[in-house]
Structures are given as C-alpha cells and as structure tokens.
Amino acid sequence: MLQCCDALGIKYVNSALENTFIDDNEEQFAGFPLIERIHYFEKQKDTFKNTNAIVCSGMNPGVVQWMALELMNQYPYEKPLGCYIVEHDTSFFKDKSKAKKDVIYTTWSPECFLDEAILCYPMFMKNHTPLFLYEDVYNIEFQVTLGKKQFFGCLMPHEEVYTLGKLYDIESAFLYKVNDHTSKIIRSHLDDTDVLWDFEMKVLDPLEAPLTGEDLVGVLMVYQDKERYMYNVLDNERIFAQYKTNATYFQVACGIYAALSVLLLDSIPKGVYYVDELLLNTNNHYGQYLRCYMTDFVIGENNKSDGLLLNRMREFHD
C-alpha cells in the first residue's frame, strides 16, 4: 500500500484492480508483491494532473532520500557506486520478561513487516533495474559499517530502493536489522514461513510497557575506496518522555510533517512526487521543515569500503 500525503492528510492508493490482481492472487505474485504494486502505481502516477501529492514520505521511504541527496550534493564531483538505506532497530521491552515466546514484535505494522520479510525475495537495484536473489530474506545478511557502529542487515525490497535506483546509475538496497527476538522466530521457521501468519503480532507500544533501545535509520554511500554515511538515531526512552510514542513512529511523523509542510506552505507544480523527485524537480523547503523536529544527524566517513552488495553478503548461521 502506497502512502499519499496531501493537504487533507494521508491517503492510501490501493485500488480495487490492484487488490484483485495482487492481494487476491498471492500465489501468482509470490516473491514479488512489492515490485508489482510499484509497477501498477507507476502506470497510474502521471495520470493525476490536477492535484499536489507527495507519496511515501515517512522515514524510509521519505527522509532517507533527502539524506542521500544531501550527501551527494555535498560532493557533486564524486559519483557513488552504491547507496544503501540502512536500519538497525534495537527497540524492545525494558523488562524482557514482558516478551512472550511466540509473539512477533516490531515497532511498526507487524503485518507489513512480514510482507517484506517472508513474502518477498530480497531485491536491489542495479543499472536502473530491479534484481532479485532467489533466497529467503532471513537466510542471508549484509555487512554495514557506520564509523564505530557495525551490524549485519537483511536485504528487503523497499520503495526508496526503487526510486533512487531509477533516478541514479547506482546500486541501491535496503539493509534492515530488527530486534533479535523477532529475527530468531523468523529464522526458526524458514522451512515453513506460512505458519508465521498464525502467530500473535504486536507493535512495541511504550504506553503498554516501557521500551529501551533505539532506532537508527540512514544512508551509506559507497565509493571505490571509502564510504560516507548519514543517519538519525533516536532513543525510545527519550522520545517517549517527550512525545509518548516509540522512536520509529516519531521518525515517520517527521517525514509526514515535512511533506505536509511542503504542500501547505510551498508552491510546487501540480503532480505526484516521490520525495527524491520532489527535491530534484521543485523549489521546496522539505529539509528545513524536517529539521524542525528531527534535529540530530550523524555524518561521517569510513576510510575504506566493504564493497558492493554481494561482497558484503554472508549466510546466516544460528
């Protein structure tokens, strides 16, 4: 389902035709539901001639495209080989005894998370083309280094991977590491992932039980002999004290706020824009609005590169 922000709020573009051909025919589109949705939406996107809309402006997709363009604009004469969207979400119960053994916990919609984690093949973009690995998402991992921070993330299909990979001749991918509890549940059922849909699913809500950990989301730009990165990382306890929600939802809210502010305050030509298209093709203050609430970004450089995606890959061993 694709988010569409306009002056009235958030709409969801999910037509009856799309439901019929994708949602109601899961076997036909097994492994590829997200890219099929994107292809359907792309066919319709330019037919909206009399409205202003910004689609997919959460944290990722959304803010991460702004980060990617910020880094590229700082070094306009250096062309990156790859742009990886990276996320390490360590959010979990402060009191770990609150966790039930067979419950899937995430900081956002568990159903949408499982769509990416078990229904889709791992996807990345290269030469402006979506490429897929014939493998379970949770059976392989990819190395991410952000200065002193390092983790191994799973390769998942995501809208911003597609839009950045279509705009730029770079390898793009989304590498995601969720909490260890949920990761272990998925990996222990890779022989029959369908059973996971019968598990109880819960959003980690700090109003129900205190949370600890943080959500780090950003971009890693890969060059021949170095890497540059930019990310935002928010601590659940601090965010809850200020805003009574978890870190992930606050990050998403910042992206929605930035897009709504553009629609309400900036004069942009009529049309439907992904965030990266908006930044490249219109005169707007998206970044200025974003920084009203998302104030802290870490920017740095690795003095060597781990290489492109397949050089970073390792098989998971329990």
Side-chain angles (χ1 to χ4, degrees):
M1 200 176 286
L2 293 171
Q3 281 188 353
C4 180
C5 299
D6 66 4
L8 298 177
I10 301 173
K11 296 179 180 179
Y12 292 98
V13 179
N14 193 14
S15 72
L17 183 61
E18 183 183 7
N19 272 331
T20 300
F21 287 108
I22 299 176
D23 292 343
D24 294 343
N25 293 278
E26 289 183 355
E27 291 185 3
Q28 181 179 349
F29 298 102
F32 308 99
L34 180 70
I35 195 65
E36 290 293 336
R37 293 176 192 280
I38 290 175
H39 284 164
Y40 180 84
F41 180 70
E42 290 275 289
K43 291 177 183 177
Q44 311 300 322
K45 178 170 169 284
D46 292 336
T47 66
F48 293 89
K49 303 290 188 182
N50 198 34
T51 187
N52 287 339
I54 302 169
V55 296
C56 300
S57 183
M59 185 62 181
N60 54 313
V63 177
V64 291
Q65 288 109 296
W66 173 81
M67 290 189 200
L69 268 64
E70 281 286 295
L71 282 184
M72 285 190 275
N73 289 338
Q74 287 182 22
Y75 304 93
Y77 302 109
E78 296 185 57
K79 183 180 180 299
L81 302 174
C83 173
Y84 303 134
I85 313 305
V86 298
E87 180 171 4
H88 188 189
D89 189 354
T90 61
S91 307
F92 209 62
F93 295 109
K94 193 170 185 179
D95 178 1
K96 289 185 172 55
S97 68
K98 296 283 187 182
K100 298 178 182 178
K101 181 182 177 183
D102 291 326
V103 176
I104 295 170
Y105 296 104
T106 61
T107 52
W108 58 290
S109 167
E111 293 86 356
C112 292
F113 164 74
L114 284 182
D115 275 349
E116 298 171 2
I118 65 174
L119 282 187
C120 296
Y121 290 123
M123 184 197 94
F124 65 103
M125 292 285 289
K126 197 174 185 71
N127 297 330
H128 307 289
T129 304
L131 301 175
F132 296 83
L133 302 182
Y134 190 61
E135 182 59 91
D136 290 312
V137 166
Y138 267 80
N139 205 38
I140 48 177
E141 296 178 322
F142 300 81
Q143 184 171 333
V144 176
T145 302
L146 309 168
K148 294 182 179 179
K149 290 182 178 289
Q150 187 178 84
F151 66 94
F152 285 85
C154 293
L155 176 62
M156 295 186 176
H158 241 226
E159 290 92 343
E160 73 275 13
V161 171
Y162 177 83
T163 61
L164 286 168
K166 290 287 283 186
L167 283 171
Y168 295 98
D169 186 17
I170 55 177
E171 183 175 274
S172 59
F174 172 47
L175 304 176
Y176 183 27
K177 181 174 175 58
V178 75
N179 65 77
D180 291 338
H181 172 95
T182 296
S183 296
K184 288 177 181 176
I185 291 177
I186 295 174
R187 288 196 172 101
S188 64
H189 292 84
L190 288 182
D191 58 336
D192 184 12
T193 55
D194 286 346
V195 302
L196 294 170
W197 294 107
D198 297 325
F199 280 39
E200 185 180 355
M201 304 177 195
K202 292 281 291 181
V203 172
L204 289 163
D205 184 351
L207 289 171
E208 296 181 3
L211 302 181
T212 189
E214 61 189 22
D215 200 354
L216 180 157
V217 186
V219 296
L220 178 67
M221 310 299 294
V222 178
Y223 301 83
Q224 194 69 45
D225 58 351
K226 62 179 175 287
E227 298 171 349
R228 295 191 177 105
Y229 55 84
M230 180 176 185
Y231 63 82
N232 169 262
V233 58
L234 295 180
D235 175 85
N236 278 289
E237 294 181 61
R238 181 171 69 87
I239 291 300
F240 179 72
Q242 292 180 268
Y243 299 105
K244 305 306 178 190
T245 190
N246 67 35
T248 301
Y249 279 163
F250 180 76
Q251 288 173 324
V252 172
C254 289
I256 294 172
Y257 175 84
L260 286 173
S261 296
V262 169
L263 292 168
L264 292 170
L265 302 175
D266 296 341
S267 296
I268 60 173
K270 290 189 182 301
V272 178
Y273 301 92
Y274 295 115
V275 171
D276 31 21
E277 290 178 324
L278 177 80
L279 297 170
L280 289 170
N281 299 329
T282 75
N283 184 19
N284 65 82
H285 299 89
Y286 183 95
Q288 178 182 324
Y289 303 138
L290 173 67
R291 288 179 179 270
C292 288
Y293 291 98
M294 186 171 284
T295 56
D296 299 320
F297 295 91
V298 177
I299 300 176
E301 185 172 309
N302 301 325
N303 59 14
K304 64 177 183 177
S305 174
D306 292 321
L308 291 176
L309 197 63
L310 298 184
N311 299 113
R312 298 166 179 267
M313 184 171 64
R314 72 169 186 180
E315 293 184 9
F316 183 78
H317 299 288
D318 199 354

